[in-house]
Amino acid sequence: MLKGIHPAISPVLLKTLAEMGHGDEIVLSDAHFPAHQLHSRVIRADGIDVATLLTAISPLFEYDQYVDAPLIMMSAVAGDSLDSSVEIRYMAAIESAVGSVPKFERIDRFAFYARAEKAYAVVVSGELAKYGNIILKKGVTPIA
């Protein structure tokens, strides 16, 4: 166990976050996401919801300040609707961890899947909320 590292961060996830460079993206997916179909680097975080992962990751992760929106979520499919509490929980988790929330955008399902295929890794969580997926784009870590 390391001091200052949230217990939701597994050794594999910590290593993955450290390996990522500026501009790399990581997907925090809900339990329904077809991660293994889309990506070869899949990290399991079963039983841990995405808000908890965001709380754990955000203090360790610099969000990309050189893009309009370093957070990307999936839009609802036509005829479906979003549960606004998902977005509220995720943004509150980030804000509680680092004091502010970077901008985010929504993209359609297939654009999200295409982006997930190019991500550095996909973390499959225990999140059960519909459209409970989010992509985080890593930025440059500032020097103290």
Side-chain angles (χ1 to χ4, degrees):
M1 195 80 178
L2 296 173
K3 290 170 38 173
I5 304 294
H6 192 285
I9 303 280
S10 69
V12 174
L13 180 53
L14 184 61
K15 177 182 182 289
T16 301
L17 293 170
E19 289 173 345
M20 291 173 64
H22 173 245
D24 282 341
E25 296 180 342
I26 189 165
V27 180
L28 304 183
S29 81
D30 61 33
H32 313 288
F33 194 76
H36 291 279
Q37 176 187 340
L38 296 173
H39 211 287
S40 61
R41 187 179 289 136
V42 175
I43 301 166
R44 302 297 303 197
D46 299 295
I48 302 171
D49 64 36
V50 170
T52 300
L53 288 170
L54 288 167
T55 298
I57 291 169
S58 293
L60 307 174
F61 193 93
E62 189 68 30
Y63 292 100
D64 195 339
Q65 62 274 31
Y66 298 112
V67 297
D68 289 335
L71 302 173
I72 300 93
M73 294 182 74
M74 191 183 292
S75 298
V77 174
D80 209 351
S81 61
L82 295 172
D83 176 354
S84 62
S85 71
V86 174
E87 178 184 319
I88 291 167
R89 281 190 303 114
Y90 290 8
M91 299 311 145
I94 295 168
E95 185 169 26
S96 73
V98 295
S100 63
V101 179
K103 290 183 181 175
F104 80 95
E105 68 176 329
R106 289 196 180 271
I107 59 177
D108 78 34
R109 175 181 170 200
F110 294 107
F112 193 97
Y113 288 168
R115 196 135 172 193
E117 286 177 329
K118 296 176 185 170
Y120 192 80
V122 177
V123 179
V124 179
S125 75
E127 181 66 55
L128 297 177
K130 200 172 185 184
Y131 300 107
N133 311 297
I134 187 167
I135 297 173
L136 316 178
K137 189 174 199 66
K138 189 174 185 183
V140 175
T141 305
I143 298 172

